[in-house]
Amino acid sequence: MTGSEAREERVLEAVGQRRELVNDAIPEELPITDPERLYEASRYLLDAGGKRLRPTVLLLVAEALADVEPLSADYRSFPSLNGSDVDVMAAAVSVETIQSFTLIHDDIMDDDDLRRGVPAVHREYDLETAILAGDTLYSKAFEIMLDTDAQADRTVRALDVLATTCTNICEGQALDVEFETSSDVLTEDYLEMIEQKTAVLYGASSSVPALLLGADDETVEQLYGYGIDVGRAFQIQDDVLDLTVPSEKLGKQRGSDLVEGKQTLLTLHAREQGVDVDSLVDAESVEAVTEAEIDEAVAELEAAGSIDYARDTAAELVESGKERLEVLPDNEARHLLEQLADYLIERGY
Amino acid sequence: MTGSEAREERVLEAVGQRRELVNDAIPEELPITDPERLYEASRYLLDAGGKRLRPTVLLLVAEALADVEPLSADYRSFPSLNGSDVDVMAAAVSVETIQSFTLIHDDIMDDDDLRRGVPAVHREYDLETAILAGDTLYSKAFEIMLDTDAQADRTVRALDVLATTCTNICEGQALDVEFETSSDVLTEDYLEMIEQKTAVLYGASSSVPALLLGADDETVEQLYGYGIDVGRAFQIQDDVLDLTVPSEKLGKQRGSDLVEGKQTLLTLHAREQGVDVDSLVDAESVEAVTEAEIDEAVAELEAAGSIDYARDTAAELVESGKERLEVLPDNEARHLLEQLADYLIERGY
């Protein structure tokens, strides 16, 4: 087993252990009550699975800050740095609830049929119910975050992060849509867009526990930066994987972003290098494209240095994120957060 | 001028004065920033008008509680009952922002083309933008409510009301959709549904200023009850007006609820009295119905006592709401809140 394989194993174990606890907490925080159909639709994607990476980050940050042995303290009454105990599990579920709300509404906007191997909520139910289910999760996430028993001033700051994060996600999604029909997007615009669309929720996941537990401002800021760096790296890695992982492992056609004309850090870099990105793939649909055509396109991106550029950018972000963790005590939970950052760009799919 | 006309004039003046101030505050709290199209879509309905009844209730409650001459204190730094000043105007804009978000999403769900005399947001823009504009207003409402300078513990309670209110509105909307295809809805189910769908936002409008300014729990509770009573009365009166006001004054076909088979307190009462409600109107569409047919249906509802029942129910709610205002000091702002309640069921349209 290589060092990277051993690390991956440790990270996946840490994520898996917390995922189970988060999965238990979701029905506690979001019980199916009247009107049942609304709550079933709201829970549909949450129950369909998901890695729970964001809640895991949140719980690991809490453990690192409190300097406790991982999994030794009760997440439901977790020791704050000063003052009374905090229900950090509620905060973790709140963040996952926001994630699920954005997925439901995004699937409507992108008219996607499938998510996590099951029909999108607007397909399984209907458009009205999907909009309403997303809206319900939205306010529930705030209700849950208001219920962590943290000091009022800390709760206010955590809610401020949560509300700003949601606004940023909407802005990022609007930019993403705008970019689809825009021909002069620069790599820096793209990095800004994925910060808003994807990375801010990682920023919330890593800073909210610090706020709730009463960490100082410098710690809060560095932890927020960790989430932003790691979240951006995660998104860039997704773009790389779309081109480099065999279709059967990816669970969808390799290179689908290219076929659909989606702008990514790779295509934007290639365009800046003079590559005629729009002609990289001729096929009009994911069904019509051949592996040979994708291979050729990837070779061209490779030659332009775009794949290396994306990998390097992601690696730099991960390094930056890991450095920020130096505000944390040197303990096992912090090491897991470092390894989680590495894993995000080393993962095969 | 009758007593009721004089009252209506005073109420409309009080609403109009506050509406202007709210209209000035909206662009301050929700400036058009990048991405511009998203923020323009978010502001579209807010800028198209609206009576601003909910913000008016919120501002009048603040004035009554603080026992100040109406319009004499700055809403942006309003004296709390104990402690530092509060920006109650921000709270008023927050409540109106929630209202606007629900309208945008409701219009998508009901596939309505027009709102406030302008195209619905999903018609003026598109479905994606309308979903996203509503989502943006949602988080902005929380951001704005977090920014009133109220004490942290009071802010937490106000946000709790806001989040619970949003959840209730979603639940109410889901029930409303459910009722459309249900044949055994009772008048009490309907009253529960409109409490969730409509009245809770009035409840938030009347209780949030009490929370932010530091009123005692009994006052908060009675004020919340005032909003619930008045909000329910408002909705019932809307149902009555749909049948009793001439089409040209109503701005839409009189009796359109009946034609569309919408259940209201009137039709549910009539059904409980043995009236065959489904056969009241034969016309299949609002375009095809005749005034004579509506007249006949109204006469039947009248004979079943359903119109009186709805009017009496609304009047009782208004009386109950006014009684709850006795927790407030006896002053001009409180009288305006009493008159506002009366106006809601006396208004002609």
Side-chain angles (χ1 to χ4, degrees):
Chain A
M1 192 153 74
T2 66
S4 136
E5 278 169 353
R7 178 158 61 209
E8 180 164 338
E9 199 167 283
R10 273 198 304 277
V11 169
L12 291 181
E13 187 192 30
V15 172
Q17 288 162 335
R18 284 158 189 81
R19 177 167 53 231
E20 268 190 52
L21 297 169
V22 170
N23 288 350
D24 290 343
I26 287 172
E28 291 167 11
E29 298 292 339
L30 288 163
I32 308 257
T33 55
D34 263 349
E36 274 188 23
R37 189 164 187 272
L38 174 65
Y39 280 100
E40 282 166 5
S42 302
R43 279 269 301 280
Y44 186 72
L45 268 192
L46 280 164
D47 290 351
K51 296 193 203 75
R52 317 292 188 212
L53 286 177
R54 296 162 194 81
T56 294
V57 166
L58 191 148
L59 297 171
L60 282 172
V61 167
E63 291 177 314
L65 273 170
D67 206 9
V68 296
E69 190 73 21
L71 300 172
S72 68
D74 182 357
Y75 289 135
R76 288 296 197 177
S77 54
F78 197 85
S80 68
L81 304 187
N82 42 61
S84 52
D85 290 352
V86 173
D87 182 353
V88 290
M89 180 54 84
V93 172
S94 171
V95 164
E96 190 71 1
T97 301
I98 291 289
Q99 165 70 359
S100 193
F101 132 66
T102 64
L103 294 180
I104 294 174
H105 282 190
D106 278 4
D107 285 343
I108 301 173
M109 292 185 247
D110 300 340
D111 203 19
D112 281 335
D113 294 330
L114 282 176
R115 168 75 68 176
R116 291 179 175 160
V118 297
V121 176
H122 66 288
R123 291 274 171 252
E124 179 67 19
Y125 294 82
D126 50 62
L127 176 68
E128 294 74 20
T129 306
I131 293 176
L132 217 44
D135 290 346
T136 304
L137 291 177
Y138 210 149
S139 48
K140 278 289 172 188
F142 282 89
E143 285 188 54
I144 295 166
M145 191 64 92
L146 279 158
D147 210 21
T148 68
D149 303 321
Q151 280 177 209
D153 56 332
R154 296 172 183 177
T155 299
V156 165
R157 290 187 66 189
L159 282 172
D160 209 5
V161 167
L162 198 67
T164 311
T165 296
C166 292
T167 302
N168 280 331
I169 293 172
C170 293
E171 291 173 351
Q173 172 73 4
L175 282 178
D176 197 13
V177 172
E178 210 174 273
F179 286 1
E180 276 172 30
T181 54
S182 172
S183 58
D184 54 359
V185 181
L186 302 175
T187 48
E188 64 209 61
D189 302 324
Y190 180 81
L191 289 170
E192 173 69 23
M193 184 274 282
I194 62 171
E195 169 165 340
Q196 297 199 283
K197 191 180 163 174
T198 304
V200 287
L201 197 53
Y202 279 93
S205 302
S206 49
S207 62
V208 159
L211 288 167
L212 293 176
L213 297 176
D216 60 76
D217 288 351
E218 168 67 8
T219 303
V220 170
E221 193 185 322
Q222 291 302 327
L223 284 168
Y224 185 77
Y226 165 82
I228 295 293
D229 287 340
V230 158
R232 279 175 152 180
F234 177 77
Q235 182 61 53
I236 294 168
Q237 180 67 2
D238 255 7
D239 297 340
V240 173
L241 292 176
D242 181 72
L243 288 172
T244 54
V245 174
S247 302
E248 56 285 10
K249 206 171 166 192
L250 207 56
K252 58 173 188 174
Q253 173 62 51
R254 180 172 65 106
S256 58
D257 287 353
L258 275 184
V259 181
E260 289 161 1
K262 218 185 124 197
Q263 316 224 39
T264 67
L265 191 62
L266 293 92
T267 60
L268 293 169
H269 175 269
R271 179 173 286 133
E272 288 173 6
Q273 304 306 306
V275 174
D276 181 5
V277 173
D278 299 326
S279 310
L280 274 178
V281 170
D282 290 331
E284 296 284 326
S285 73
V286 173
E287 289 73 31
V289 78
T290 62
E291 289 290 325
E293 202 174 359
I294 300 285
D295 282 340
E296 220 171 290
V298 170
E300 222 171 312
L301 290 172
E302 192 100 60
S306 303
I307 293 179
D308 281 345
Y309 168 73
R311 283 204 170 112
D312 291 348
T313 305
E316 278 165 29
L317 286 166
V318 163
E319 282 315 305
S320 161
K322 281 159 65 180
E323 274 170 35
R324 293 178 192 272
L325 293 180
E326 284 165 21
V327 291
L328 292 172
D330 188 5
N331 56 29
E332 176 64 12
R334 169 176 147 188
H335 294 163
L336 283 167
L337 285 165
E338 290 163 358
Q339 291 168 342
L340 181 69
D342 283 323
Y343 162 72
L344 288 179
I345 57 165
E346 283 170 2
R347 69 201 158 104
Y349 58 99
Chain B
M1 193 152 72
T2 67
S4 138
E5 279 170 353
R7 179 158 60 209
E8 178 163 341
E9 200 168 282
R10 275 197 303 277
V11 169
L12 291 180
E13 188 193 32
V15 172
Q17 289 163 335
R18 284 159 189 82
R19 176 166 55 232
E20 268 189 52
L21 297 169
V22 171
N23 287 350
D24 290 343
I26 286 171
E28 292 167 13
E29 297 293 339
L30 287 163
I32 308 256
T33 56
D34 262 351
E36 275 188 24
R37 191 165 186 274
L38 174 65
Y39 280 100
E40 282 166 5
S42 303
R43 279 270 299 281
Y44 186 70
L45 268 192
L46 280 164
D47 291 351
K51 297 194 202 76
R52 316 292 188 215
L53 285 178
R54 295 162 195 81
T56 294
V57 166
L58 191 148
L59 297 171
L60 282 172
V61 167
E63 292 176 312
L65 272 171
D67 206 10
V68 297
E69 190 72 22
L71 302 171
S72 68
D74 182 357
Y75 289 134
R76 288 297 197 177
S77 53
F78 197 84
S80 68
L81 304 187
N82 42 59
S84 53
D85 290 352
V86 172
D87 182 353
V88 290
M89 181 54 85
V93 172
S94 171
V95 164
E96 189 72 1
T97 301
I98 291 289
Q99 165 70 0
S100 193
F101 132 66
T102 64
L103 295 179
I104 294 174
H105 282 189
D106 278 3
D107 284 344
I108 301 172
M109 292 186 247
D110 300 339
D111 203 19
D112 281 335
D113 294 330
L114 282 176
R115 169 73 71 174
R116 289 179 176 161
V118 298
V121 176
H122 66 288
R123 291 276 170 249
E124 178 68 20
Y125 294 83
D126 50 63
L127 175 69
E128 294 74 20
T129 307
I131 292 175
L132 217 44
D135 289 346
T136 305
L137 291 177
Y138 210 150
S139 49
K140 278 288 172 189
F142 282 90
E143 285 188 53
I144 294 167
M145 190 65 90
L146 279 158
D147 209 22
T148 68
D149 303 321
Q151 280 176 211
D153 56 332
R154 296 172 183 178
T155 299
V156 165
R157 290 187 64 187
L159 282 172
D160 209 3
V161 168
L162 199 67
T164 311
T165 295
C166 292
T167 302
N168 280 332
I169 293 172
C170 293
E171 292 173 350
Q173 172 74 5
L175 282 178
D176 197 13
V177 172
E178 211 173 270
F179 286 1
E180 276 171 30
T181 54
S182 172
S183 57
D184 54 358
V185 182
L186 302 175
T187 48
E188 63 208 64
D189 301 326
Y190 180 81
L191 289 170
E192 174 68 23
M193 184 274 282
I194 62 172
E195 169 165 341
Q196 297 200 284
K197 190 179 164 174
T198 304
V200 288
L201 197 54
Y202 280 93
S205 303
S206 50
S207 62
V208 159
L211 287 167
L212 293 176
L213 297 176
D216 60 75
D217 288 351
E218 167 67 9
T219 303
V220 170
E221 193 186 321
Q222 291 302 327
L223 284 168
Y224 185 77
Y226 165 82
I228 296 292
D229 287 339
V230 158
R232 279 175 151 181
F234 177 78
Q235 183 62 53
I236 294 168
Q237 179 67 1
D238 255 6
D239 298 341
V240 172
L241 293 175
D242 182 71
L243 288 172
T244 54
V245 174
S247 301
E248 53 292 4
K249 206 171 167 193
L250 206 56
K252 59 174 187 173
Q253 174 62 51
R254 180 171 64 107
S256 59
D257 287 353
L258 275 185
V259 182
E260 288 161 2
K262 218 185 123 195
Q263 317 224 40
T264 68
L265 192 62
L266 294 92
T267 60
L268 293 169
H269 175 270
R271 178 172 287 132
E272 287 172 8
Q273 304 307 306
V275 174
D276 180 5
V277 172
D278 300 326
S279 309
L280 275 178
V281 171
D282 291 332
E284 295 284 324
S285 73
V286 173
E287 290 72 30
V289 77
T290 63
E291 288 292 323
E293 201 174 359
I294 300 285
D295 283 340
E296 220 171 291
V298 171
E300 222 172 313
L301 291 172
E302 192 100 60
S306 303
I307 293 180
D308 281 344
Y309 168 74
R311 283 203 171 113
D312 291 348
T313 305
E316 277 165 30
L317 286 165
V318 163
E319 282 315 305
S320 161
K322 281 158 67 179
E323 273 170 35
R324 293 177 192 272
L325 293 180
E326 283 165 20
V327 291
L328 292 172
D330 187 5
N331 56 29
E332 176 65 13
R334 169 177 145 188
H335 294 161
L336 283 167
L337 285 165
E338 290 164 358
Q339 292 168 343
L340 182 69
D342 284 322
Y343 161 72
L344 289 179
I345 57 165
E346 283 170 0
R347 70 203 159 103
Y349 58 99

